[in-house]
Amino acid sequence: MKLQRKNGLRATALGALAVSGALVLTACGSDDNTGASNGGKKTGAASNIKCEGAKGQLLASGSSAQKNAMDLWVRNYMAACTGVEINYKSSSSGEGIVAFNQGTVGFAGSDSALKPDEVAESKKICKGGQGISLPMVGGPVAIGYNLPGVKDLVLDAPTLAKIFNDKIKKWDDPAIAKLNPDAKLPSTAIQAFHRSEDSGTTQNLGKYLGKAAKADWPYEAEKKWPAPGGQAASGSSGVAAQVKQAEGAIGYFELSYATSQNIPTVQINTGASAPVAATSENASKAIAAAKIKGTGKDLALELDYATKAEGAYPIVLVTYEVVCDTGNKAETLGTVKSFLSYAASDEGQKVLSDAGYAPIPAEINAKVRETVNGLS
């Protein structure tokens, strides 16, 4: 199995360690020490991954937010299921949905659940069924910054909204200074970076700002960046790369990108007793309160972006895999079910936890597994 990496950065040393750790966990988690099953054949890689029905090549594309998660899943799955190739093209949620509804991929990754018009369009591809959104992994949308000499930067929703809305232009602005009384803030110009293409990560940031800073963020939460000013970059990897190299920069991307590139991240003042850092554990506290808003087999979630719960990081996203509930292509159905079953397994979710993502709550994940098992 190969991953296309044109739109994403390769995992750095930390990512590589996560992969190595994931493989160790895989080996330790099996009751079968002789190897995983691959259509009845042993591969020599001990694992609980079930390869029955998987064959050939499976194309998928979409969310760059889940690119690092896919790297781990795909590597582990490939080690267990020899002869099966998963090719996930990391681009954007918008591009993934377009590809899915054109029938060119077996599943799509998206940081937002399908909208009604997208579901309607999917019925042309999903013969006798429709596209559904299955939550596979969550995590914090980290706000990374590049400000030498300033550690533990704290921002709140109104200040963050004004920065991304081109209202606050200098790092020593009184609003930032008030939140960071002990910091020596420079007068450096703020360079705010956002996604250039339609992005579910953008939409989730917009949902947070729209809920927690309504007066300062008058935009609808859409995948397309709505505010004036700022600079655009392609993919989460592109935004992270710009923040990494440009002094005075600030941008948003999944925590794994910040971790792998040693980019400091903002702590959010939510109104709780202490500012909350962007960690998988803190994101899990927010995601744990999510409720299923989808109907039928669709498992789209509703998140509380305005939470003030202690230790709950509010800027979170849940990234979905979009598949047909019924009407999947016969030649890829077995591979889709096998691969997504692994992703939703305890083993697959544990791998992500080790890599800085937040696992889907157990109650919801149980429904994901049931739904994947019933795909046809």
Side-chain angles (χ1 to χ4, degrees), residues 219-279:
Y219 309 106
E220 293 294 325
E222 298 292 346
K223 293 178 181 177
K224 183 177 180 63
W225 181 256
Q231 302 177 60
S234 178
S236 290
S237 59
V239 175
Q242 292 296 326
V243 172
K244 177 73 173 180
Q245 69 183 21
E247 187 170 333
I250 188 171
Y252 58 94
F253 33 79
E254 293 68 43
L255 180 62
S256 59
Y257 290 92
T259 300
S260 66
Q261 298 188 60
N262 295 315
I263 299 173
T265 59
V266 170
Q267 297 180 44
I268 302 298
N269 183 336
T270 64
S273 63
V276 185
T279 68

Side-chain angles (χ1 to χ4, degrees), residues 145-209:
Y145 68 97
N146 184 337
L147 209 56
V150 177
K151 297 181 179 180
D152 302 322
L153 183 70
V154 176
L155 296 175
D156 58 13
T159 305
L160 198 58
K162 291 173 185 175
I163 288 173
F164 281 116
N165 201 21
D166 205 31
K167 302 297 185 183
I168 292 179
K169 302 177 184 292
K170 299 282 187 180
W171 279 109
D172 60 354
D173 187 274
I176 300 176
K178 184 178 180 180
L179 291 164
N180 299 272
D182 298 326
K184 294 182 179 180
L185 297 168
S187 59
T188 306
I190 294 175
Q191 298 187 62
F193 287 91
H194 59 264
R195 293 282 290 274
S196 60
E197 74 286 1
D198 287 2
S199 161
T201 311
T202 294
Q203 188 172 40
N204 279 276
L205 176 65
K207 288 177 180 179
Y208 163 70
L209 295 176

Side-chain angles (χ1 to χ4, degrees), residues 36 53 58 76 78 152 212 227 233 289 292 299 303 309 323 358:
L58 173 63
N76 290 356
M78 182 168 116
D152 302 322
I292 295 175
L299 300 177
L303 300 167
V323 295

Side-chain angles (χ1 to χ4, degrees), residues 73-355:
W73 281 337
V74 164
R75 177 166 177 171
N76 290 356
Y77 185 83
M78 182 168 116
C81 302
T82 56
V84 182
E85 181 179 357
I86 310 293
N87 192 324
Y88 182 83
K89 179 182 178 182
S90 171
S91 52
S92 69
S93 298
E95 292 177 58
I97 297 303
V98 169
F100 178 77
N101 280 337
Q102 290 178 342
T104 59
V105 295
F107 70 87
S110 178
D111 307 331
S112 297
L114 290 174
K115 296 187 295 187
D117 60 324
E118 294 170 336
V119 172
E121 189 176 354
S122 74
K123 293 180 180 180
K124 300 175 184 177
I125 298 300
C126 304
K127 302 302 183 182
Q130 66 180 47
I132 56 174
S133 303
L134 303 179
M136 284 292 178
V137 63
V141 177
I143 308 298
Y145 68 97
N146 184 337
L147 209 56
V150 177
K151 297 181 179 180
D152 302 322
L153 183 70
V154 176
L155 296 175
D156 58 13
T159 305
L160 198 58
K162 291 173 185 175
I163 288 173
F164 281 116
N165 201 21
D166 205 31
K167 302 297 185 183
I168 292 179
K169 302 177 184 292
K170 299 282 187 180
W171 279 109
D172 60 354
D173 187 274
I176 300 176
K178 184 178 180 180
L179 291 164
N180 299 272
D182 298 326
K184 294 182 179 180
L185 297 168
S187 59
T188 306
I190 294 175
Q191 298 187 62
F193 287 91
H194 59 264
R195 293 282 290 274
S196 60
E197 74 286 1
D198 287 2
S199 161
T201 311
T202 294
Q203 188 172 40
N204 279 276
L205 176 65
K207 288 177 180 179
Y208 163 70
L209 295 176
K211 292 286 187 180
K214 295 180 181 179
D216 299 297
W217 193 256
Y219 309 106
E220 293 294 325
E222 298 292 346
K223 293 178 181 177
K224 183 177 180 63
W225 181 256
Q231 302 177 60
S234 178
S236 290
S237 59
V239 175
Q242 292 296 326
V243 172
K244 177 73 173 180
Q245 69 183 21
E247 187 170 333
I250 188 171
Y252 58 94
F253 33 79
E254 293 68 43
L255 180 62
S256 59
Y257 290 92
T259 300
S260 66
Q261 298 188 60
N262 295 315
I263 299 173
T265 59
V266 170
Q267 297 180 44
I268 302 298
N269 183 336
T270 64
S273 63
V276 185
T279 68
S280 58
E281 180 182 1
N282 291 343
S284 292
K285 294 177 182 177
I287 295 172
K291 298 179 180 179
I292 295 175
K293 66 177 182 179
T295 57
K297 294 183 179 180
D298 186 83
L299 300 177
L301 301 181
E302 182 175 358
L303 300 167
D304 181 7
Y305 293 95
T307 181
K308 295 182 180 180
E310 294 295 329
Y313 184 81
I315 318 177
V316 295
L317 64 76
V318 168
T319 186
Y320 298 88
E321 310 311 333
V322 175
V323 295
C324 295
D325 56 359
T326 298
N328 290 278
K329 293 180 180 179
E331 61 268 27
T332 57
L333 175 60
T335 309
V336 168
K337 293 178 68 172
S338 172
F339 180 71
L340 295 185
S341 291
Y342 162 60
S345 69
D346 288 341
E347 183 179 339
Q349 292 290 297
K350 181 64 168 66
V351 165
L352 298 186
S353 180
D354 293 341

